[in-house]
Amino acid sequence: MRVVYNQVGQPIGAQMRLAQTQAKPHVELYGNSFGGVADKYTLVMVDPDAPSPSHPTLRNILHWLVADIPGSTDPSQGQELIHYMGPAPPEGLHRYVLLLFKQEPGQLFNKVPEVPESRVAFSLADFVKKYNLGIPVAGYYFRARHGD
């Protein structure tokens, strides 16, 4: 999985300026491990450091949720369940984590699943368990600082 903001790929863990991350990134799924179009994936983006890295009492703020992404394509081909929200850390240096899960064969989010009423305190573990997503097949994270 490759994540590209503003037409520039960044290495995993890179610190990026907030202005670079306000528009939805282009995410590329490539390689044999991402199968064919019959395989479906779910992409989740969260901030595990809210409101601050030293006191993450609101972990995980949900920034983006896309399901039914056909293998070897990109999230624009999937069903965007929660629209992208760019990072806006209230203080400190936050991590923003993108995780890609392979959906069970035949599993489709034909109807919007029960999306959280709030993006705050999203339980990634509960979501993964409820939709039987298992462990991520790919991941990426970057860091962004308040005021950058």
Side-chain angles (χ1 to χ4, degrees):
M1 179 170 80
R2 182 171 178 235
V3 178
V4 178
Y5 277 97
N6 295 325
Q7 301 178 349
V8 178
Q10 297 289 337
I12 291 176
Q15 185 169 336
M16 299 190 348
R17 300 187 62 77
L18 289 178
Q20 292 176 279
T21 63
Q22 296 310 297
K24 184 185 325 182
H26 176 73
V27 178
E28 301 168 351
L29 309 182
Y30 56 90
N32 294 334
S33 60
F34 292 112
V37 294
D39 293 323
K40 303 294 182 204
Y41 296 86
T42 296
L43 178 70
V44 180
M45 179 178 165
V46 295
D47 172 0
D49 297 325
S52 73
S54 61
H55 247 78
T57 57
L58 299 177
R59 101 174 11 133
N60 286 300
I61 300 230
L62 181 60
H63 280 263
W64 198 21
L65 177 59
V66 184
D68 297 337
I69 304 165
S72 298
T73 62
D74 64 76
S76 69
Q77 304 301 309
Q79 183 181 176
E80 190 172 50
L81 303 177
I82 299 292
H83 296 287
Y84 181 82
M85 176 177 72
E91 62 181 85
L93 182 63
H94 288 231
R95 295 168 293 160
Y96 293 88
V97 180
L98 290 93
L99 297 171
L100 185 73
F101 298 90
K102 185 172 183 180
Q103 295 171 204
E104 288 288 314
Q107 177 192 14
L108 293 174
F109 288 94
N110 290 328
K111 294 186 233 173
V112 175
E114 294 175 28
V115 294
E117 291 179 23
S118 170
R119 292 175 184 250
V120 177
F122 171 70
S123 176
L124 181 57
D126 288 351
F127 183 82
V128 167
K129 184 177 179 182
K130 182 173 185 171
Y131 294 102
N132 199 28
L133 294 174
I135 61 170
V137 295
Y140 173 86
Y141 83 97
F142 65 91
R143 298 170 298 140
R145 181 180 305 281
H146 171 74
D148 272 355

